[in-house]
Amino acid sequence: MSTAETWEYPEHKQFERVPTLDQVDHSDQKAVYAARSQKIRDDWVRAMETRLIKQKLDACYRTEGVNHCK
């Protein structure tokens, strides 16, 4: 049995939403760290969503052509 057949996705971890960097007290280092980590995760998710949409659009262009509305 190959390793590809036995590999499974890790569990999806849910992160608690915290106040944004604008809303936290900057003297509270834990809150600043949590807000910064949340911003990084949110930006990463947005970038991956954009990548998926671009891949689907590229696939559409390959099958339908660039001027598919004509």
Side-chain angles (χ1 to χ4, degrees), residues 16-25 31-32 34-36 38:
E16 181 181 338
R17 299 301 292 179
V18 296
T20 63
L21 281 170
D22 299 337
Q23 300 168 337
V24 298
D25 178 22
V32 171
R36 187 177 298 142
Q38 177 175 285

Side-chain angles (χ1 to χ4, degrees), residues 19-59:
T20 63
L21 281 170
D22 299 337
Q23 300 168 337
V24 298
D25 178 22
H26 290 284
S27 62
D28 183 6
Q29 292 298 315
K30 275 189 166 182
V32 171
Y33 178 77
R36 187 177 298 142
S37 296
Q38 177 175 285
K39 169 113 175 69
I40 291 169
R41 282 191 305 272
D42 290 346
D43 290 348
W44 182 257
V45 167
R46 199 171 305 118
M48 292 300 107
E49 287 172 344
T50 304
R51 180 185 289 181
L52 290 172
I53 291 170
K54 183 183 179 315
Q55 288 174 351
K56 289 183 180 197
L57 183 62
D58 288 345

